[in-house]
Each structure stands twice: as structure tokens, then as C-alpha cells.
């Protein structure tokens, strides 16, 4: 129910983004949403045992797709991220996120708490994360790579990995930050610099975030009204149909609209965690919570990005931003969560 | 549930709780951020948003008309059709040019300018292809518009001068704003805005210009107009009504054009209103508004007859014998010379070792002031000038309006020069010589006057000695200029009557120097004074050889002058004519002045 509302909000927002037109975004979004919804229901009805068995194959398939992108991918917006399938352009990295969750859930399902406490035991799951993260990073897509890592981290955490190990990793990352800086692309460095000081380049890299803040801020509490967002409709706001869709909504619907959207998101996330908790098997718990964390991260990063809290990293707002793969992946993810919910009483053997 | 599983479940629950809490915290942060942006700083961003999208555009105001005293238009805004091109709507510029060229002439220079404009403007901003299209061209373009992507016809205003050459010097013309003329007035920033460059257009530019309207328009991120939010219409410029009589002006210009280089002023002796003011050769100001070619401009600049100069106010000439009334009035006023003073003219006068000739070799015999003026006897004026001295003559000259600007409503007025002892000392560091006084008495030497000053001088003499000021302005907007009261100059009416009588005889007495140019009509008889101003001293050798002035090269010939007034009984009109290198005042300038006076009588603008 919540998902359907979110999807419909997306349709309406995209309708506005196109200046009151179903073309070019709202209609397709609606169709994709319908198709994704069907896929979600199918995924929900498939037995959780099947999913457990399919986890590794799905992961491997995603990896292969990523490699295919690397070899013969569609280059767009300065990055090689898409595979053109004729009908739709597939972005395998979106599915990789779920693939990683599935593979890790599968892996930790077969592990006892004692196993997990053991550092050496974690080498294999770390490899499961490192391979796709590295593949996505060379696309280059730092945002997705970090998302994969973060979601994986959440699963490690939920699976029971010791707190001290997280401490070590976080300390290590902090130490490595200056080194990593050198490996960043110039545009990525620039984004971070501009984030720290948007006025640095108000017409270039800083333009997006400045305009986004203007649009958001001028929306006020009540908003400017549907189809009346001046900043978005006069094209001051770039990429209003994708990454900055939240800005458009907040400009037109104001704080109230944003609060409603937040509530829906929070409820969705809460629902995901409740399903996870209700599941009687570790696989289901990790799948449901992992995908929920993934979804939540999307929302956080996107909104934090458009409100100027973090640098612009190119993460869409799930279910609402225009974009095929992301929505299909998210809906598929919800399908898995629902499957976990439906089959919560199923007890799964550790070894399959 | 096995023990291990339960443990795992509990661990998961705990940790999921922690993670859930982190999520809620995250949303808390986002909500806080939104509150900050949308509530605390809403006003700030709302202002920024408006600044982003609202832009001001200035609207052109109509330039005020310039008309003559009867409302005949002298400068108007003509409908002007222009062809525009919106670059982004034309997929193939070359192809569009080629097609446009089939319907209207489009020079290579035009195309270069268009390409330059396209580069400097945004693709949706129209660029002018060509202005000044005639109806046929407009029709041809309009019919073929479907074939000409991006081309449109727009109607604009172009300043036009119906009288063309006849008013060129007076009205002036408008042109694009030069960088030095830029002020912070918004109207200046309008594309293609033109301001007055010379003449009345320049003098009354502020009044004629009007005020630009403003239009608040909503623009998008690339600057394209989306819609108009509000607009304040501009205010058209004031109408400037001149004292001129267009028909008299046209006649005057055409009559003067028979000479190589000449100027004339016809003025009301009582109220100072100028009815005609011409300078020849002239030019067509309409060529200037459309942009004059470099060759045309060069030609106008280099011509020896100075077609761009308004010689009526800025040409400076020795007045010659037209100055003689001044000398007489100065002498009588000083009391050193009696009004009935007589002088014997043998054809020359000796002062020290120098011999000063009268223009008449044989002399005039015994003459009084009336005869001296009528026959323009030089010796009479040598004699009285010697008695009165240069300073008193200079004082009278200034009193009558020579040697000073009259602040007429035109740019470029020159002050002329009235020399006296102090001036010479200051200028050359030398003492004034008596010989110089004698030469000055007949309007030669250092003295310089403009045709306008000559008209003013004569007006002050014939209007009963009132300090009349010349003016060109009749009405400004809806306001009619008041008729000023001119104060008396303190010159004896008797003396004025004497010189008037002398001037009447110049034309109407058999022996008068301009008898040939008299007006027979008893009700409009003319008086006046001839003047022939030496440009170059005639050498004794030339005099002996009897070289005629008209045989000399044009630049060395004498200037011909005539100042006229009419009617005799109650003078109303005065006229000053200067024909550059016209050889003789009586032969060239007097007939011209008579013709102008006759036309003035016919028009009778003062009635």
C-alpha cells in the first residue's frame, strides 16, 4: 500500500517536472511502476527457499552484467553504467546492490554467531562485497560503490560481527581518506570542494546545489502549489526529473508535502524492519533488513544531497525519480521483503 | 528454535533496533534541515528565487516631434519596417540568407553584421537583418514567410526629417549613443537607442527623449522570456515647437543654395523669434539616422564649403560696412560728434603716414550721417571713429549684441569678437593703434561677427533700442513660451532714427548702394546696409593694376553681406545675409536679402 502511494507520488511529481505533461516522464514512470509492481508480486509469492537457493546465482549474474558493462557498455554522462537492451537501458549496478544483499544474507545464514565473531571467517564475505564495489568504482560510480559497501556493512553488523571490528574498519577508513583523495576523479574532488564552499563555482558545479536550495527554501511551509514551482519550471533547477525531484516536490508542496513523504518513507522502513524481525530465519531477516537499509540509504543520501548536507553524488530518490533500473531494482527488493514477510514461518536449514 | 538460533535472533533484534534508531536519527536530521531551509530561511530563498526569475526590460519611449510655429512637422518618427531573424529557428543560416536575398537586398556588410550579432546574442534573441524596408519588400517577405524559417517582420520607428536639407543645420539629427555619451539613464541601454547629435535634436535631447517604460518579465535559466508580470508604460518625449516658418525656411534654403557658401537669419525685431535660419551647402540628415557611409562622411568633412557647419550661428566674419551704424551710434552717444556732423570725402583720409581709402576712388564730397550710410562712405566713419576712439565703439557694439553668445537653442554658437584696447593688450601685448580704430570703424580688422549677431544688432537698432534676444523655441510640450519684455539699451531715439533713415536710403535713395535691390511695395519698403568684407588685403600693386575681386580665386574673394529690415515705417522683420566670398554686398547679398524679405512679407509669420 505504502509502495503504491509512493509510486503514485512519483508519477505526479514527474507530471509536474514535465510542466504538466504526462510526456516524457510521468507516463513511462507509471507504466514501469505497473510492470515493477507485477514483478514485485511475483517475487513476493516465490518461496523464500527458492530465493535462498537463487542467491548466489543472482549475485553471479549481476557480477557478469557489471563486467559486460565494463566491456561493452553504453556510455552516458561521462560514465559507463548502462547496457542497452533495446527496450530499456539496464543499469546493472542497481541490481548488484540487491545481489550483494542476497549473497551476504545467504552467506551469513549459514554461519553461526561464533563463526561470525572470528575475523578470518569474514574474508569470504568481504570478498563478496569488494568485487562488485570495485567493478562499480571503475565505471566510475563512487556513489553506488559506497552504497554497496555501506549496505554490506549494515548486514555485517546485523549478522553479529563484533563491534570492535567495526571500530578497526572505521579507523582504517579515516586513516586512508587522504590517500583515497588522490584516487578520486577531478570532478569528484571538485564536487566535494564545491560542497564545502558552494559559492566557489556558482555557475558551474555549485550551481545545482545552490539552485536546489533556492527552490527548496522558497517553497516555504505551504509550498507554491502543484505545477507552480517557479524555479523548477523555469529550468533553474537541473535534473529535476531525476536526482532533484525531491526539490521540485518540496518547492511545490512545501514543508508539509515533504513531511508527508517522510512519513511514508519512515513507515516503509519501519515496515521493512518489522518484517525482518518477524522472520523465523536468519536469511529472511538479513534480506529484509538489508534491502530496507539499502532503500533508506537511497532516501537519506538523495535528500541530504539536494538539501546541501552532503556533496552531490548522483543518487536517485527511490520510487519517485525518473529512471527504470533503479525503480525495478527497488520494487524487486520490496518483492523480496514481502516474500520474507509471507514466508516468515518457514524455517530454513543452515546448509542447503 | 535452537539455542544458537535464539542467540542469533536476539543479537539481530538488538542490532536492528540500533540501526532503526540510526534511521530515525537520519530522518530527524533531514527534517531539521528542511525546517531550516523552508521555515527559517524561507524569506531569504524566496527573494533569491524572485531575483532568479524576474528581470527588468526597458520599453522604448517615442521621441518627441519637432514642428514649426504652425505645427508643420520638421522631425517625425516614421513607421519603419525591419526584417528580423531568430537564429535558433533557422536551421541553415546560409540557406536563409540566400532566400532572403531573393526578396530584399542584403549586402555583404549586412550579412557580416548579422553574423556578428548572432554570435554576441543568445540564439533566441532576434537579430535585425535589415531596416528601412519598403512596402513591396515587406509584402514579398510576408508572403514567403513559410519558406523563411526564423525570419519575421517587425515595425519600428525611424527618425525622419521631412524638410531634409532645408532644416539639416537647425534640427540636426540623431544617432546611436557613443560610449562617451552614455549616462546611467536606463533608456540609454535600449538596443538601437538614438540621441540627438547636433542642432535642436541635441539641444532639446532631454525633453525629446522621454522616459523609458519598464516591464517586469519572468525569465528562465537561460534568459528566455516566459511572460510579462507587469509593465509601466514609458512617457513619450515632449513636442518641441520652433519659431520657424517651414515654408520660409525652405524658400530661404533654396535661395541660398544658388550661392556656393552662404548663410542667412530672418528674425522678428520685436520678440526675437527666428523665422528662418539657413546655411548652405547643406546635407540630408536622413542619411545620418540610417547610418552614413564612410565615404559620404569623409566627403562632407573635407568639403571647403563646410556643409556640416551651421554658419548662421558659428560662422564668424568681419561685418564690413554693416558695422557702420555701430560706429555712428557710438560717436553720437559719446557727445564728441554731433548728429549733424558733416565730413568731406576726397576718396581717402590720411592719418600720420598712412592713407586710408574710401571704396569710392573719386570720393563722396561732403556727406552727413544719412548720406554716409546710404553711400557707405568710408571716410565719414574714419573721421568720427578717430574722434570717439575704439573703446566707445566696442562698448556700443556689445550693447547691440556683437561679441557675445546669445544662448540660442542650438549647440555650436560662437561669440564673435569685438576688439578694444584692453583686448589687444591682453592678446598681443601691444598698444592699440589709431589706424586700427579707423579700420574697425568700417567693420574690418580684428572684428568678427556671426550672421545671427548681425541680425540681433539690426533688430536692436530698428526696434527702438530694445535688447531683444533671439530664440528658436516657440512651444515646449504644451507650454507656450512667454513673450519676454526687452529692456531699453539707453540709445537716443533720435540717433536711432538718423541711422534708420540712412539705412532706408541705402535701398531707396537713387545713390544708395543697394538701390537695385529695393522693394517697390510702399507698405513693405526695406531698409538695410551693404557690407563687403575683405578677406585678404588688396595690395597697392593689385589696386594699380585694377585687378577685379571676382577674378581672384574663390577663397580670396571678399565676403558679401547685407542686413535688411522691413517695413520701413514700423520695422518688424530683420534679415542678415552673408555670402562667403560673394565679392560684393550690393551685388550678391542685397538681392538675396530682398528676395528673402519678399517671401517673408508673403508669409508674414509675425501676424
Amino acid at each position: 500500500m505504502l509502495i503504491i502511494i509512493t509510486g503514485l507520488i512519483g508519477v505526479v511529481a514527474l507530471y509536474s517536472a514535465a510542466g504538466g505533461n504526462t510526456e516524457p516522464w510521468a507516463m513511462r514512470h507509471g507504466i514501469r511502476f505497473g510492470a515493477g509492481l507485477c514483478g514485485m508480486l511475483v517475487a513476493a509469492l516465490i518461496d523464500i527457499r527458492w530465493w535462498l537457493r537463487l542467491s548466489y546465482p543472482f549475485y553471479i549474474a549481476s557480477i557478469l552484467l557489471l563486467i559486460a558493462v565494463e566491456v561493452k557498455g553504453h556510455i552516458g554522462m561521462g560514465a559507463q553504467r548502462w547496457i542497452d537492451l533495446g527496450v530499456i537501458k539496464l543499469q546493472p549496478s542497481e541490481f548488484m546492490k540487491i545481489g550483494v544483499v542476497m549473497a551476504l544474507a545467504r552467506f551469513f545464514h549459514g554461519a553461526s554467531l561464533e563463526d561470525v565473531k572470528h575475523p578470518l571467517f569474514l574474508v569470504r564475505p568481504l570478498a563478496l562485497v569488494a568485487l562488485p564495489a570495485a567493478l562499480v568504482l571503475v565505471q566510475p560510480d563512487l556513489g553506488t560503490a559506497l552504497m554497496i559497501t555501506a549496505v554490506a556493512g549494515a548486514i555485517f553488523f546485523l549478522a553479529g560481527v563484533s563491534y570492535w571490528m567495526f571500530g578497526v574498519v572505521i579507523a582504517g577508513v579515516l586513516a586512508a581518506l587522504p590517500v583515497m583523495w588522490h584516487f578520486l576523479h577531478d570532478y569528484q574532488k571538485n564536487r566535494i570542494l564545491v560542497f564545502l564552499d558552494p559559492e566557489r563555482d556558482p555557475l558551474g558545479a555549485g550551481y545545482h546545489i545552490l539552485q536546489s536550495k533556492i527552490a527548496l527554501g522558497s517553497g516555504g511551509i505551504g509550498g507554491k502549489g502543484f505545477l507552480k514551482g517557479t524555479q523548477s519550471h523555469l529550468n533553474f533547477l537541473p535534473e529535476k526529473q531525476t536526482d532533484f525531484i525531491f526539490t521540485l516536490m518540496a518547492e511545490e508542496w512545501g514543508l508539509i508535502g515533504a513531511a508527508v513523504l517522510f512519513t511514508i518513507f519512515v513507515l516503509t522502513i519501519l515496515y521493512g524492519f518489522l518484517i525482518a524481525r518477524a522472520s523465523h530465519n536468519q536469511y529472511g531477516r538479513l534480506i529484509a533488513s538489508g534491502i530496507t537499509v539499502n532503500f533508506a540509504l537511497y532516501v537519506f543520501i538523495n535528500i541530504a544531497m539536494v538539501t546541501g548536507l552532503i556533496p552531490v553524488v548522483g543518487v536517485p530518490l527511490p520510487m519517485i525519480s525518473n529512471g527504470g533500473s533503479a525503480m525495478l531494482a527497488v520494487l524487486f527488493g520490496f518483492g523480496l521483503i514481502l516474500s520474507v514477510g509471507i514466508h516468515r514461518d518457514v524455517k530454513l536449514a543452515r546448509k542447503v | 528454535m535452537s539455542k544458537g538460533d535464539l542467540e542469533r535472533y536476539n543479537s539481530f533484534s538488538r542490532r536492528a533496533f540500533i540501526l532503526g534508531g540510526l534511521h530515525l536519527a537520519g530522518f530527524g536530521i533531514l527534517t531539521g534541515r528542511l525546517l531550516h531551509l523552508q521555515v527559517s530561511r524561507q524569506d531569504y530563498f524566496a527573494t533569491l528565487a524572485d531575483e532568479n526569475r524576474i528581470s527588468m526590460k526597458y520599453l522604448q519611449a517615442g521621441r518627441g516631434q519637432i514642428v514649426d510655429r504652425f505645427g508643420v512637422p520638421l522631425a517625425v518618427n516614421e513607421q519603419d519596417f525591419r526584417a528580423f531573424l531568430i537564429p535558433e529557428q533557422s536551421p541553415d543560416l546560409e540557406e536563409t540568407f540566400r532566400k532572403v536575398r531573393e526578396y530584399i537586398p542584403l549586402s555583404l556588410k549586412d550579412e557580416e553584421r548579422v553574423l556578428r550579432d548572432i554570435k554576441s546574442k543568445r540564439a533566441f534573441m532576434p537579430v535585425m537583418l535589415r531596416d528601412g524596408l519598403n512596402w513591396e519588400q515587406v509584402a514579398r517577405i510576408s508572403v514567403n514567410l513559410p519558406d523563411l524559417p526564423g525570419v519575421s517582420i517587425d515595425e519600428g520607428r525611424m527618425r525622419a526629417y521631412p524638410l531634409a536639407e532645408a532644416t539639416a543645420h537647425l534640427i540636426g539629427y540623431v544617432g546611436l549613443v557613443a560610449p562617451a555619451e552614455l549616462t546611467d539613464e536606463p533608456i540609454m541601454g535600449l538596443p538601437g537607442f538614438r540621441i540627438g547629435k547636433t542642432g535642436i535634436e541635441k539641444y532639446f535631447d532631454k525633453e525629446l527623449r522621454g522616459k523609458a517604460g519598464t516591464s517586469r518579465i519572468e525569465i528562465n535559466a537561460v534568459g528566455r522570456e516566459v511572460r510579462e508580470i507587469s509593465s509601466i508604460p514609458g512617457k513619450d518625449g515632449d513636442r518641441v515647437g520652433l519659431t520657424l516658418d517651414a515654408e520660409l525656411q525652405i524658400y530661404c534654403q533654396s535661395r541660398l543654395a544658388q550661392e556656393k557658401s552662404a548663410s542667412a537669419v530672418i528674425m522678428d525685431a520685436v520678440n526675437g523669434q527666428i523665422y528662418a535660419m539657413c546655411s548652405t551647402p547643406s546635407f540630408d540628415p536622413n542619411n545620418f539616422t540610417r547610418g552614413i557611409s564612410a565615404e559620404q562622411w569623409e566627403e562632407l568633412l573635407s568639403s571647403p564649403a563646410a556643409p556640416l557647419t551651421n554658419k548662421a550661428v558659428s560662422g564668424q566674419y568681419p561685418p564690413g560696412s554693416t558695422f557702420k551704424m555701430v560706429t555712428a551710434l557710438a560717436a553720437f552717444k559719446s557727445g564728441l560728434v554731433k548728429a549733424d556732423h558733416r565730413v568731406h570725402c576726397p576718396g581717402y583720409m590720411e592719418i600720420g603716414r598712412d592713407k586710408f581709402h574710401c571704396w569710392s576712388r573719386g570720393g563722396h564730397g561732403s556727406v552727413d550721417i544719412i548720406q554716409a550710410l546710404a553711400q557707405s562712405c568710408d571716410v565719414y566713419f574714419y573721421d568720427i571713429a578717430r574722434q570717439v576712439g575704439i573703446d566707445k565703439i566696442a562698448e556700443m557694439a556689445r550693447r547691440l549684441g556683437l561679441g557675445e553668445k546669445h544662448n540660442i537653442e542650438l549647440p555650436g554658437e560662437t561669440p564673435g569678437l569685438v576688439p578694444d584696447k584692453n583686448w589687444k593688450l591682453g592678446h598681443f601685448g601691444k598698444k592699440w593703434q589709431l589706424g586700427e580704430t579707423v579700420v574697425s570703424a568700417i567693420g574690418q580688422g580684428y572684428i568678427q561677427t556671426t550672421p545671427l549677431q548681425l541680425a540681433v544688432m539690426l533688430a536692436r537698432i530698428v526696434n527702438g533700442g530694445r535688447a531683444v534676444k533671439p530664440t528658436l523655441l516657440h512651444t515646449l510640450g504644451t507650454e507656450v513660451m512667454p513673450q519676454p519684455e526687452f529692456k531699453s539699451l539707453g540709445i537716443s531715439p533720435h540717433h536711432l532714427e538718423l541711422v534708420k533713415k540712412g539705412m532706408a536710403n541705402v535701398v531707396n535713395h537713387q545713390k544708395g548702394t543697394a538701390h537695385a535691390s529695393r522693394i517697390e511695395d510702399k507698405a513693405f519698403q526695406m531698409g538695410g546696409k551693404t557690407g563687403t568684407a575683405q578677406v585678404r588685403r588688396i595690395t597697392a600693386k593689385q589696386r594699380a593694376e585694377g585687378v577685379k575681386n571676382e577674378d581672384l580665386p574663390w577663397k580670396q574673394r571678399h565676403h558679401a553681406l547685407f542686413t535688411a529690415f522691413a517695413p520701413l515705417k514700423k520695422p518688424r522683420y530683420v534679415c542678415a545675409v552673408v555670402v562667403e566670398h560673394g565679392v560684393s554686398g550690393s551685388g550678391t547679398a542685397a538681392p538675396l536679402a530682398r528676395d528673402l524679405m519678399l517671401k517673408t512679407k508673403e508669409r508674414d509669420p509675425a501676424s
Side-chain angles (χ1 to χ4, degrees):
Chain A
M1 203 41 223
L2 285 168
I3 292 155
I4 292 171
I5 292 170
T6 325
L8 290 179
I9 288 174
V11 172
V12 171
L14 287 171
Y15 178 73
S16 175
N21 268 312
T22 49
E23 288 297 321
W25 302 308
M27 195 49 143
R28 290 187 212 167
H29 188 78
I31 291 168
R32 270 199 301 266
F33 181 61
L37 222 50
C38 294
M40 180 183 87
L41 291 175
V42 172
L45 291 172
I46 289 175
D47 194 296
I48 190 78
R49 279 166 288 225
W50 275 93
W51 285 126
L52 182 68
R53 253 174 252 141
L54 280 172
S55 291
Y56 285 140
F58 188 88
Y59 173 83
I60 290 163
S62 299
I63 292 282
L64 289 176
L65 277 174
L66 270 182
I67 293 169
V69 163
E70 206 50 50
V71 176
K72 186 175 169 285
H74 180 84
I75 298 174
M77 298 171 78
Q80 202 168 352
R81 295 178 189 170
W82 291 270
I83 295 179
D84 202 337
L85 293 180
V87 193
I88 54 161
K89 281 188 208 139
L90 212 60
Q91 197 175 348
S93 56
E94 294 298 334
F95 293 97
M96 193 69 245
K97 290 172 194 162
I98 293 176
V100 169
V101 172
M102 286 174 83
L104 288 177
R106 168 79 182 81
F107 180 83
F108 284 116
H109 175 72
S112 70
L113 219 49
E114 288 78 45
D115 295 338
V116 175
K117 300 285 184 208
H118 201 279
L120 282 180
F121 182 78
L122 296 176
V123 172
R124 275 164 66 202
L126 279 175
L128 282 178
V129 181
L131 179 62
L135 282 172
V136 173
L137 199 58
V138 295
Q139 280 187 350
D141 189 350
L142 181 67
T144 306
L146 287 176
M147 287 254 311
I148 288 173
T149 316
V151 172
I155 294 176
F156 276 71
F157 177 74
L158 291 170
V161 174
S162 303
Y163 289 103
W164 67 265
M165 279 191 235
F166 283 95
V168 169
V169 170
I170 288 167
V173 167
L174 284 177
L177 272 181
V179 182
M180 280 167 68
W181 176 255
H182 290 288
F183 289 101
L184 288 177
H185 285 261
D186 278 344
Y187 83 93
Q188 289 168 332
K189 288 184 189 172
N190 200 30
R191 275 186 185 174
I192 293 168
L193 287 176
V194 166
F195 162 70
L196 295 173
D197 181 14
E199 259 72 318
R200 187 186 173 95
D201 186 10
L203 292 175
Y207 178 82
H208 287 43
I209 195 60
L210 218 57
Q211 291 299 337
S212 180
K213 278 160 80 176
I214 290 172
L216 271 168
S218 63
I221 297 171
K224 293 180 185 168
F226 183 51
L227 300 179
K228 288 187 184 137
T230 57
Q231 301 308 294
S232 21
H233 289 293
L234 296 173
N235 284 328
F236 287 103
L237 188 64
E239 291 179 45
K240 55 178 180 284
Q241 79 278 16
T242 57
D243 291 358
F244 285 90
I245 189 95
F246 178 77
T247 307
L248 175 135
M249 295 174 66
E251 184 188 11
E252 295 192 348
W253 303 107
L255 187 67
I256 294 167
V260 168
L261 194 67
F262 276 13
T263 311
I264 293 170
F265 281 139
V266 169
L267 289 175
T268 307
I269 290 162
L270 222 60
Y271 190 58
F273 275 113
L274 288 176
I275 286 179
R277 265 198 55 158
S279 178
H280 283 221
N281 54 73
Q282 183 75 346
Y283 178 71
R285 289 196 284 263
L286 290 180
I287 281 281
S289 54
I291 288 170
T292 305
V293 168
N294 184 40
F295 175 78
L297 269 177
Y298 263 119
V299 176
F300 285 145
I301 294 178
N302 178 269
I303 296 177
M305 166 180 104
V306 301
T307 51
L309 282 174
I310 61 164
V312 176
V313 283
V315 170
L317 188 62
M319 306 300 300
I320 294 174
S321 284
N322 182 50
S325 304
M327 182 161 76
L328 289 178
V330 168
L331 282 171
F332 174 59
F334 281 137
L336 291 179
I337 294 178
L338 289 176
S339 177
V340 171
I342 292 166
H343 307 99
R344 58 183 173 272
D345 294 331
V346 174
K347 292 198 173 64
L348 290 170
R350 286 203 189 161
K351 306 281 180 227
V352 188
Chain B
M1 201 182 273
S2 70
K3 187 177 171 257
D5 272 353
L6 189 67
E7 215 176 292
R8 211 157 66 159
Y9 174 75
N10 286 337
S11 161
F12 174 83
S13 278
R14 233 176 10 251
R15 293 188 177 210
F17 196 73
I18 293 171
L19 215 56
L22 278 175
H23 282 69
L24 282 180
F27 272 106
I29 292 169
L30 292 183
T31 309
R33 178 66 174 173
L34 278 179
L35 278 171
H36 175 65
L37 289 178
Q38 296 198 298
V39 181
S40 315
R41 301 184 70 193
Q42 196 227 333
D43 292 344
Y44 169 74
F45 283 118
T47 315
L48 277 186
D50 273 353
E51 276 175 14
N52 241 349
R53 72 186 178 99
I54 293 169
S55 163
M56 290 278 263
K57 198 175 79 168
Y58 292 104
L59 305 171
Q60 191 105 41
R63 191 169 176 87
Q65 266 203 344
I66 303 174
V67 297
D68 84 344
R69 64 188 298 106
F70 302 115
V72 176
L74 305 177
V76 294
N77 303 314
E78 264 184 3
Q79 201 179 36
D80 176 50
F81 289 102
R82 302 141 190 223
F84 281 94
L85 174 73
I86 298 172
E88 69 172 3
Q89 291 174 10
S90 167
D92 184 352
L93 275 181
E94 272 307 313
E95 176 69 6
T96 307
F97 278 153
R98 197 185 58 71
K99 281 184 187 156
V100 167
R101 243 182 279 128
E102 287 174 21
Y103 309 117
I104 54 171
L106 205 60
S107 71
L108 227 83
K109 252 177 90 180
D110 282 330
E111 280 179 37
E112 276 168 23
R113 176 184 49 79
V114 170
L115 288 174
R116 208 171 48 236
D117 282 0
I118 288 174
K119 260 188 212 141
S120 64
K121 286 180 171 178
R122 287 226 164 97
F124 55 84
M125 305 253 280
V127 169
M128 194 180 73
L129 287 172
R130 199 164 184 283
D131 57 4
L133 298 179
N134 62 33
W135 254 113
E136 200 195 324
Q137 292 166 332
V138 170
R140 270 192 288 186
I141 290 271
S142 303
V143 167
N144 291 292
L145 278 183
D147 215 23
L148 300 164
V151 176
S152 60
I153 296 282
D154 201 14
E155 192 198 316
R157 298 273 148 198
M158 174 87 83
R159 196 66 159 172
Y161 304 99
L163 267 54
E165 277 90 352
T167 50
H169 295 108
L170 218 58
I171 308 297
Y173 50 84
V174 294
L176 294 169
V177 184
E181 292 164 330
L182 265 177
T183 65
D184 50 6
E185 264 177 287
I187 199 167
M188 290 279 200
L190 285 168
F193 180 72
R194 285 156 208 263
I195 63 166
K197 293 286 182 178
T198 60
I200 294 288
E201 291 273 34
K202 181 176 184 179
Y203 193 90
F204 287 110
D205 193 57
K206 267 216 159 62
E207 290 80 1
L208 288 165
R209 213 186 270 169
K211 272 179 81 173
T214 52
S215 167
R216 273 155 47 89
I217 47 171
E218 186 172 281
I219 55 161
N220 68 10
V222 285
R224 189 194 304 263
E225 288 174 31
V226 178
R227 68 191 172 96
E228 187 174 78
I229 296 165
S230 65
S231 76
I232 305 160
K235 198 177 149 289
D236 283 358
D238 284 335
R239 192 171 102 139
V240 172
L242 299 183
T243 57
L244 234 53
D245 173 24
E247 206 176 317
L248 186 60
Q249 177 81 11
I250 294 169
Y251 176 80
C252 180
Q253 189 70 31
S254 65
R255 181 66 183 83
L256 282 184
Q258 295 170 13
E259 303 297 336
K260 189 166 178 183
S261 174
S263 53
V265 175
I266 301 170
M267 189 178 126
D268 189 305
V270 177
N271 61 26
Q273 292 185 1
I274 287 171
Y275 297 127
M277 178 187 275
C278 296
S279 179
T280 194
S282 187
F283 58 91
D284 187 350
N286 293 306
N287 290 337
F288 282 80
T289 54
R290 277 154 208 259
I292 193 164
S293 75
E295 301 91 76
Q296 276 177 301
W297 174 247
E298 192 49 47
E299 199 187 315
L300 284 172
L301 270 185
S302 60
S303 167
L308 292 174
T309 311
N310 181 3
K311 291 185 275 262
V313 295
S314 51
Q316 301 187 109
Y317 311 92
S321 301
T322 61
F323 187 73
K324 283 174 178 163
M325 290 82 79
V326 179
T327 308
L329 289 171
F332 298 156
K333 186 175 169 56
S334 72
L336 297 169
V337 178
K338 290 281 169 288
D340 57 0
H341 183 68
R342 295 191 78 89
V343 172
H344 178 74
C345 169
Y348 60 89
M349 175 181 267
E350 280 179 73
I351 297 171
R353 283 178 295 141
D354 291 319
K355 201 171 182 181
F356 292 86
H357 289 273
C358 185
W359 67 269
S360 167
R361 301 299 308 271
H364 293 97
S366 175
V367 291
D368 63 3
I369 177 62
I370 294 169
Q371 289 162 319
L373 278 172
Q375 299 168 37
S376 205
C377 173
D378 293 334
V379 171
Y380 180 90
F381 296 95
Y382 294 155
D383 179 70
I384 61 172
R386 198 170 52 169
Q387 297 183 51
V388 71
I390 186 63
D391 284 353
K392 290 229 162 58
I393 295 173
E395 198 271 326
M396 178 56 73
R398 291 193 196 102
R399 197 176 283 230
L400 291 171
L402 301 181
E404 62 164 339
K405 287 194 195 182
H406 291 292
N407 301 321
I408 194 162
E409 299 86 352
L410 283 177
E413 192 186 347
T414 52
L417 173 66
V418 172
D420 58 16
K421 287 176 179 164
N422 273 335
W423 170 82
K424 193 185 172 195
L425 207 61
H427 207 76
F428 295 111
K430 283 186 185 148
K431 264 191 71 180
W432 186 268
Q433 302 294 313
L434 182 58
E436 290 168 333
T437 305
V438 170
V439 169
S440 299
I442 58 162
Q444 301 280 1
Y446 305 115
I447 187 162
Q448 297 279 318
T449 57
T450 66
L452 176 68
Q453 287 170 345
L454 291 176
V456 170
M457 174 192 82
L458 194 65
R460 289 182 178 187
I461 292 171
V462 301
N463 73 5
R466 298 200 169 271
V468 65
K469 280 265 179 198
T471 182
L472 275 165
L473 187 62
H474 194 246
T475 54
L476 184 58
T478 52
E479 186 193 353
V480 181
M481 292 300 117
Q483 296 252 331
E485 281 289 314
F486 297 109
K487 66 176 200 313
S488 170
L489 292 164
I491 303 169
S492 150
H494 175 57
H495 299 159
L496 290 171
E497 275 310 310
L498 276 177
V499 295
K500 250 163 85 178
K501 185 84 171 82
M503 285 190 286
N505 284 357
V506 166
V507 184
N508 301 298
H509 193 275
Q510 285 246 307
K511 283 187 175 174
T513 50
H515 186 63
S517 302
R518 70 195 174 274
I519 294 173
E520 301 286 6
D521 183 349
K522 282 272 180 275
F524 200 77
Q525 277 183 319
M526 171 175 93
K529 184 72 197 79
T530 52
T532 304
Q534 278 180 19
V535 173
R536 187 176 147 274
R537 242 187 188 306
I538 296 156
T539 60
K541 190 170 158 244
Q542 279 175 329
R543 197 183 293 272
E545 285 169 357
V547 175
K548 287 218 176 83
N549 192 245
E550 47 264 59
D551 298 333
L552 293 170
W554 184 69
K555 272 282 183 187
Q556 293 179 17
R557 294 177 203 166
H558 302 320
H559 293 317
L561 298 94
F562 196 80
T563 54
F565 67 94
L568 277 185
K569 286 267 161 52
K570 203 170 185 292
R572 186 75 207 237
Y573 302 110
V574 295
C575 169
V577 175
V578 176
V579 181
E580 280 190 3
H581 312 293
V583 180
S584 137
S586 56
T588 316
L592 221 165
R594 177 206 50 211
D595 291 351
L596 297 186
M597 278 308 206
L598 283 171
K599 186 68 181 181
T600 309
K601 180 196 164 253
E602 186 190 316
R603 295 293 302 165
D604 203 9
S607 68

